Amino acid sequence: LPAGLSQWFPALEVLDVSGTGLTEMGAELLSLPCLHTLLAKNNRLGGPGSLPKGLGQAPLASSLRVLNLSGNRFADVPPVLLRLRGLRSLSLGGNRLHSIPPDIQELRSLEFLYLGGNFITSIPPELAKLPSLKYLVLCDNKIQSIPPQLAQLHSLRSLSLHNNLLTYLPREILNLVHLEELSLRGNPLVVRFVRDLTYNPPSLQELAGRTVKTRNVPYTPSDLPETLVRYLSLASNCPNPKCGGVYFDSCVRQIKFVDFCGKYRLPLMHYLCSPECSSPYSSASQSSTSQSESDSEDEASVAAHRMQKVLLG
């Protein structure tokens, strides 16, 4: 960036240096107190020192609202970006990212996050701690599964997951009450489904915990070791309403196919407390429907009615 930038344009609010071949942005940025939009797409940023060290400090830490670094060479999300607490829009598409740092949760004001066109293989649960996130773009990566915690993104309106390696979705995704757009095309879940699902017998600790929970055995924190009290608080209810059981670590992972938008059968991952709670033909037959699958059908019909745009093929 040219020296004296802040002297020439002290009140600069928008700076676009896209497609200029930049390999680094200098400290001149730090003296632009009014800058709220920085566009630096399609450059050669990504090496050591390509961003000024003080980028995450005042005044930019609070003034910068929009940052677009797509089409560069970043192999990791620069830690300095995670200090820009005022950011509402962050674009890092078309870089060389292999992961999303858990500290992404620090960007509490973020509403738009674009990470498409990278090499990301997994999504950290911490991503679900962005209360204002409305648009999440993770298309064209190598993501194999979606953490159920994403259901905590209550403000999410659009979720782009096309062209990944997804074979199923967590059932919890139906709880995204404001979701209007869901893009899933180009994933194996459209043409291939998970069938090799195993069940590990519960441990003695889990059996004891299930007994305490299902029979409502009374206890107080002083009656049991702290670790056991914490373990008992982690019980999950079996989604089969005819069961009424719970599970902790050992559960049946099972794919349920549910009608979605009247055209597709969407594979959702279920976690049941025992094999007896599942249909014997659960994944192989569409004509067999267990009680828990019927519940998912109802949930899916509500979600399908809510979503305005669903792209599966």
Side-chain angles (χ1 to χ4, degrees):
L1 295 178
L5 183 64
S6 60
Q7 298 177 4
W8 301 334
F9 307 104
L12 191 67
E13 296 183 354
V14 179
L15 177 61
D16 188 350
V17 291
S18 302
T20 56
L22 279 179
T23 58
E24 64 178 64
M25 291 190 287
E28 284 297 314
L29 274 179
L30 308 181
S31 51
L32 296 172
C34 301
L35 190 68
H36 62 70
T37 299
L38 174 58
L39 309 176
K41 302 178 292 181
N42 304 323
N43 284 298
R44 291 181 288 170
L45 301 169
S50 59
L51 299 178
K53 292 182 179 179
L55 184 63
Q57 301 173 359
L60 289 182
S62 56
S63 69
L64 204 59
R65 296 288 184 267
V66 177
L67 177 60
N68 192 326
L69 295 172
S70 291
N72 281 282
R73 301 177 179 180
F74 290 102
D76 300 289
V77 177
V80 67
L81 299 187
L82 303 177
R83 302 194 194 104
L84 298 172
R85 305 298 169 81
L87 270 187
R88 295 177 183 172
S89 175
L90 174 61
S91 299
L92 282 165
N95 277 274
R96 302 172 181 177
L97 305 178
H98 284 79
S99 63
I100 304 173
D103 287 344
I104 194 77
Q105 64 181 310
E106 301 299 329
L107 301 179
R108 305 280 293 176
S109 299
L110 209 59
E111 298 179 5
F112 178 90
L113 179 59
Y114 190 105
L115 297 174
N118 283 286
F119 303 95
I120 298 169
T121 57
S122 63
I123 303 173
E126 289 80 4
L127 187 62
K129 297 181 180 180
L130 298 176
S132 303
L133 195 64
K134 297 178 180 178
Y135 303 93
L136 176 58
V137 181
L138 295 169
C139 60
D140 299 292
N141 278 286
K142 299 182 182 297
I143 299 169
Q144 299 183 40
S145 63
I146 304 299
Q149 288 87 348
L150 282 196
Q152 300 170 16
L153 292 172
H154 300 300
S155 298
L156 200 64
R157 295 180 182 175
S158 177
L159 177 58
S160 295
L161 294 167
H162 52 271
N163 298 331
N164 276 285
L165 301 175
L166 298 172
T167 54
Y168 65 88
L169 296 177
R171 180 184 181 181
E172 289 81 359
I173 202 168
L174 299 177
N175 295 329
L176 293 171
V177 295
H178 294 294
L179 193 65
E180 298 174 353
E181 297 182 354
L182 175 62
S183 178
L184 294 168
R185 68 183 185 277
N187 279 283
L189 64 79
V190 177
V191 294
R192 189 176 75 246
F193 305 101
V194 177
R195 298 186 185 279
D196 184 20
L197 303 177
T198 59
Y199 172 64
N200 295 320
S203 64
L204 290 176
Q205 181 181 14
E206 170 134 355
L207 289 173
R210 292 187 183 194
T211 300
V212 170
K213 286 295 184 179
T214 56
R215 299 189 178 183
N216 294 318
V217 177
Y219 68 90
T220 63
S222 59
D223 295 332
L224 303 171
E226 182 180 351
T227 54
L228 185 55
V229 172
R230 190 182 308 115
Y231 182 79
L232 289 171
S233 69
L234 300 176
S236 298
N237 292 323
C238 181
N240 185 349
K242 292 185 177 181
C243 171
V246 299
Y247 64 87
F248 295 87
D249 299 318
S250 300
C251 58
V252 179
R253 298 171 66 248
Q254 185 181 50
I255 296 295
K256 293 291 185 181
F257 296 92
V258 298
D259 287 329
F260 207 82
C261 297
K263 183 177 181 180
Y264 300 100
R265 289 185 67 81
L266 192 65
L268 300 182
M269 178 65 79
H270 280 222
Y271 296 91
L272 304 169
C273 70
S274 72
E276 286 73 22
C277 287
S278 61
S279 167
Y281 307 106
S282 55
S283 296
S285 173
Q286 295 184 358
S287 61
S288 170
T289 304
S290 69
Q291 180 66 48
S292 56
E293 183 173 9
S294 298
D295 292 346
S296 289
E297 294 275 5
D298 293 339
E299 290 176 298
S301 65
V302 172
H305 176 72
R306 183 178 65 237
M307 294 185 195
Q308 299 175 359
K309 187 177 182 182
V310 180
L311 302 175
L312 291 176

